């Protein structure tokens, strides 16, 4: 089953409000077996609304529309779509009564403008909305073409989607063909180098499709099964993930929603972890402590931003900083050792670098970062030069630091 | 000038990745005086991409397309749009050279697949992208119809938008009626209490509109001027912001993109700052060090996750932890004092609390956080109970900790 999503709101098109409804609908409908072939967003303008809905119906015969069902003048979705379906609006007594009951419960008189929300296109199915004043509407013409109108308030939209829309969509999808995605997460390898490792796999995995998604955390490999019986999709995806994991090798740290920090915590198997960071300024610790239960292995860290802190709290010799600079292999080694001693930790991470925008030199440009990971008496260090601006360099450095420890834990276990 | 935005990516349509590019383009183009009449999002499929771009060109003659410019097989935007414009792809030597130079700088050989990124539709203008491997492309046919192709990586898209696209769009626009928004940022006050302070201001500020936008950072007041000559919009917005700032009073910490951490750093006027954190686990330090130039006042911090670290590195008496617990006014006071002494800092922040999901008790439920700020010998502490889940509690606690120091610096200066 194919469908289109139309989200209505000038604020959405102008980027003033994030369009969370489109993403929520996308995930829920794909998981229910519907294929969303397009998402369109238009301003609160009658002609634009009518054109977008008419076009979507022509493409797929099924459109879900959010927004523009409120009581005010800029809410015109119902009028436009009703006209498109040739269904005149008429007052629905039961909707009116539930509206009046709602206002009684809130202890307020019902404003006259809300009365228009009880007007329903003749022949449409009302989808009751206990969370707000605008009911959902299911319009269907004699050719079986459907427009589902949902309110734009995200909590109301989600409630109606789950309680009223997905069950009906499920009924229409006889054979439950689903759209499902799964992801292999990699880090520490550039997209192009990863693509060379994976090779021209596209034909082997068809009809599944593969997408490379680079971010500051690494490169995700997303595989999607399009419109397939659920069991078959699960089977094909699992087989494909196994191949991708094998080809990605040591660069792969997990699947789907896996977080590198959680993977590291698990691999530590109870060993105490502590961190010392300079340019990441707390990001590594924040990544680790974002994981529920981190306190069972993570004991703490030092953000050693000033050089004096590196010497005082992490015992980095002032002579080392003078001779090699704070961004050097010698400094990062001393930091990792100092953290291990101070926190009495089995494993440590240390980071020192130049996040910019200032502080770069020809020998050590902005983006230069030294990383160290230590487990027991085994230490591994690496120098990286990260592209991007301050925030990106910091995020990449934190991820690379966690990854260095992950790799060390993998080889030493 | 009317235009359409097309964002390409299966992950966008499926709601797996938030479509931040659409929102960023919407805001920037509206501010530049362009009218976005529609935003369309389609999966990585050749036919869908071509149809969406062709349709957008037919509607407005001007389309901005993001995504699908990477080196891998699922990146097919350039091929499809070039075919639509009847422009064959050819290798551009200068793009190839800058690609090769980029890989040299990163100290890596250029993989063969990246060579395709140097192929440019014949007659298109190359928009150089110093942040990544995919340049932007500006295609224009003899009827003056334009397609601008930008990479999907948000930081690269934004860079090209600001540096290459907006200046060219500005040249094409005659009368410059703009849609502009400005924001007053508040924190430490609930939305409803803020609304009572602001009062029924809507008619006074018309035709500007006001929106309350709550988040973990506080409540933003967004004012929007809709389709107005630029000078008038600027004037009206500035006047409205002055009123809102005055009514918000001490809860207001800045305007527009202001970051509370940057505000705090500025108010410190050179005094050394250090932090001690437990439940925020590095987030406060990370917020501070995210600000360029933070190193001029921020010296460092301790993430004291385990109680032993609170005693060893921050000199919190073990007796205090035993008598009152780690989440107590006594503990947070001792942390703030310990940090001040250890880092020889003029100002400090300390945070200890229960981020959940575990660790709550009837007396100290999940979300309970004690905060302290200290400047010289003046200390202020506060207990808060934050709603939400772990990530939200941590984010709210970090913001509240920064805000406590801001308020202390304001009254003591």
């Amino acid at each position: 089953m194919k469908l289109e999503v139309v989200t209505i709101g000038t604020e959405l098109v102008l980027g003033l409000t994030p369009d969370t409804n489109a993403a929520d609908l996308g995930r829920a409908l794909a998981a229910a077996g519907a294929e969303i072939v397009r998402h369109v967003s238009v301003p609160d303008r009658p002609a634009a609304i009518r054109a977008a809905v008419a076009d979507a119906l022509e493409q797929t015969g099924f459109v879900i529309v959010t927004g523009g069902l409120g009581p005010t003048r800029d809410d015109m979705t119902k009028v436009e779509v009703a006209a498109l379906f040739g269904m005149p609006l008429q007052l629905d007594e039961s909707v009116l009564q539930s509206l009046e009951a709602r206002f009684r419960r809130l202890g307020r008189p019902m404003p006259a403008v809300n009365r228009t929300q009880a007007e329903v296109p003749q022949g449409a199915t009302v989808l009751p909305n206990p969370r707000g004043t605008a009911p959902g509407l299911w319009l269907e013409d004699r050719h079986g073409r459907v427009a589902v109108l949902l309110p734009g308030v995200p909590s109301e939209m989600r409630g109606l989607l789950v309680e009223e829309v997905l069950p009906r969509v499920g009924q229409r999808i006889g054979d439950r063909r689903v759209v499902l995605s799964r992801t292999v997460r990699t880090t520490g390898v550039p997209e192009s180098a990863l693509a060379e490792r994976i090779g021209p796999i596209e034909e082997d995995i068809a009809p599944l499709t593969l997408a490379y998604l680079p971010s500051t955390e690494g490169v995700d490999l997303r595989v999607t099964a399009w419109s397939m019986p659920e069991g078959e999709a699960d089977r094909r995806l699992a087989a494909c993930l196994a191949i991708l994991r094998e080809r990605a090798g040591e660069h792969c740290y997990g699947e789907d929603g896996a977080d590198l920090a959680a993977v590291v915590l698990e691999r530590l198997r109870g060993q105490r972890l502590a961190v010392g960071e300079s340019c990441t300024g707390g990001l590594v610790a924040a990544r680790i402590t974002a994981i529920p239960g981190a306190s069972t292995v993570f004991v703490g860290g030092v953000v050693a931003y000033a050089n004096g802190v590196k010497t005082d709290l992490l015992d980095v010799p002032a002579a080392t900083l003078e001779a090699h600079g704070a961004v050097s292999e010698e400094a990062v080694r001393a930091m990792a050792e100092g953290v291990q001693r101070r926190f009495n930790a089995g494993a440590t991470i240390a980071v020192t670098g130049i996040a910019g925008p200032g502080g770069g030199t020809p020998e050590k440009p902005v983006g230069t970062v030294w990383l160290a990971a230590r487990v027991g008496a085994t230490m591994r260090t690496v120098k990286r030069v990260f592209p991007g601006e301050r925030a990106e360099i910091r995020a990449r450095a934190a991820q690379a630091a966690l990854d260095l420890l992950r790799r060390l834990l993998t080889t030493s276990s």
Side-chain angles (χ1 to χ4, degrees), chain A:
Chain A
M1 174 185 171
K2 295 186 179 196
L3 60 81
E4 296 209 4
V5 168
V6 176
T7 55
I8 291 167
T10 304
E11 303 240 314
L12 302 178
V13 183
L14 293 181
L16 301 173
T17 304
D19 191 353
T20 58
N21 284 342
D24 285 344
L25 283 166
R27 276 192 303 275
L29 290 163
E35 182 181 346
I36 303 115
V37 298
R38 190 165 64 159
H39 159 230
V40 175
S41 194
V42 291
D44 301 307
R45 297 199 164 171
I49 294 170
R50 205 191 284 210
V53 174
D55 190 30
L57 283 172
E58 196 173 309
Q59 295 291 325
T60 62
F62 198 109
V63 58
I64 297 188
V65 186
T66 67
L69 295 183
T72 57
R73 275 212 195 168
D74 57 329
D75 294 302
M76 47 195 67
T77 300
K78 184 170 61 185
V79 173
E80 292 305 318
V81 179
L84 203 60
F85 276 73
M87 297 176 172
L89 291 173
Q90 58 185 18
L91 194 75
D92 183 303
E93 281 298 334
S94 74
V95 174
L96 182 63
Q97 281 167 22
S98 75
L99 263 176
E100 287 169 344
R102 179 180 173 83
F103 279 96
R104 263 198 308 279
R105 275 200 310 280
L106 296 173
R108 298 203 303 258
M110 188 175 98
V113 290
N114 286 92
R115 208 179 148 85
T116 62
Q117 296 191 290
E119 292 174 359
V120 169
Q122 194 169 11
T125 305
V126 173
L127 311 176
N129 173 14
R131 295 166 191 82
T133 54
L137 294 167
W138 181 291
L139 288 72
E140 189 160 352
D141 70 11
R142 60 200 170 82
H143 309 293
R145 301 188 315 165
V146 174
V148 184
L149 313 187
L150 300 175
V153 179
S155 59
E156 298 178 24
M157 193 290 292
R158 280 195 300 268
L160 280 166
L161 176 66
V162 171
E163 292 157 16
E164 302 288 342
V165 180
L166 291 180
R168 287 178 170 82
V169 166
Q171 280 175 1
R172 290 177 77 92
I173 303 176
D175 61 350
R176 292 238 353 124
R177 299 176 80 81
V178 301
V179 178
L180 278 182
S181 281
R182 293 200 58 196
T183 302
V184 168
R185 308 208 72 184
T186 77
T187 193
V189 58
E191 179 180 0
S192 46
L194 183 63
E196 286 192 356
R197 284 184 73 119
I198 303 295
I201 199 175
E202 282 79 1
E203 287 177 14
D204 299 343
I205 64 171
L208 305 186
T209 60
L210 171 65
Y212 288 77
L213 306 173
S215 76
T216 54
E217 293 190 11
V219 179
D220 287 342
L221 300 169
R222 174 140 57 223
V223 192
T224 304
W226 299 92
S227 192
M228 210 176 271
E230 195 167 13
E232 183 190 346
D234 285 339
R235 244 187 344 270
R236 284 181 181 269
L237 286 169
C240 181
L241 249 59
I243 299 172
L244 290 174
R245 285 195 75 132
E246 199 204 323
R247 297 203 184 169
E250 77 273 16
H251 304 304
C252 167
Y253 65 88
E255 294 178 359
D256 301 324
D259 185 296
L260 181 57
V263 171
V264 167
L265 289 178
E266 200 186 306
R267 295 258 174 101
L268 281 165
R269 293 192 192 140
Q271 279 182 94
R272 288 162 59 99
L273 171 66
V275 303
E277 0 178 10
S278 180
C279 66
T280 45
L283 265 191
V284 176
R287 282 286 306 274
I288 293 166
T289 56
I291 310 300
S295 58
T296 55
V297 290
F298 182 70
V299 287
V302 166
V303 178
Y305 223 52
N307 276 351
V309 176
K310 294 187 184 77
T311 53
D312 292 353
L313 272 83
L314 295 182
D315 311 322
V316 178
T320 300
L321 297 176
E322 253 170 58
H324 306 283
V327 180
S328 63
E329 180 166 17
E330 291 79 4
V332 85
R333 280 181 169 273
M335 287 171 69
E337 286 165 7
V339 170
Q340 195 173 35
R341 205 162 36 239
R342 287 292 185 121
F343 287 85
N344 186 27
T348 67
I349 287 172
V351 188
T352 178
I354 303 154
T361 65
E363 301 78 46
K364 296 177 184 174
V366 167
T368 304
V369 179
W370 272 98
L371 308 162
R374 194 173 163 95
V375 177
T378 310
M379 176 127 67
R380 198 179 282 187
T381 62
V382 66
K383 178 185 150 184
R384 301 284 299 271
V385 182
F386 295 112
E389 296 181 352
R390 184 178 177 88
E392 206 179 328
I393 289 167
R394 282 158 47 91
R396 288 184 190 278
Q399 180 80 350
L402 291 166
D403 192 45
L404 190 64
L405 179 55
R406 175 185 70 87
R407 290 174 192 246
L408 181 57
L409 289 166
T410 306
T411 54
S412 64
S413 67

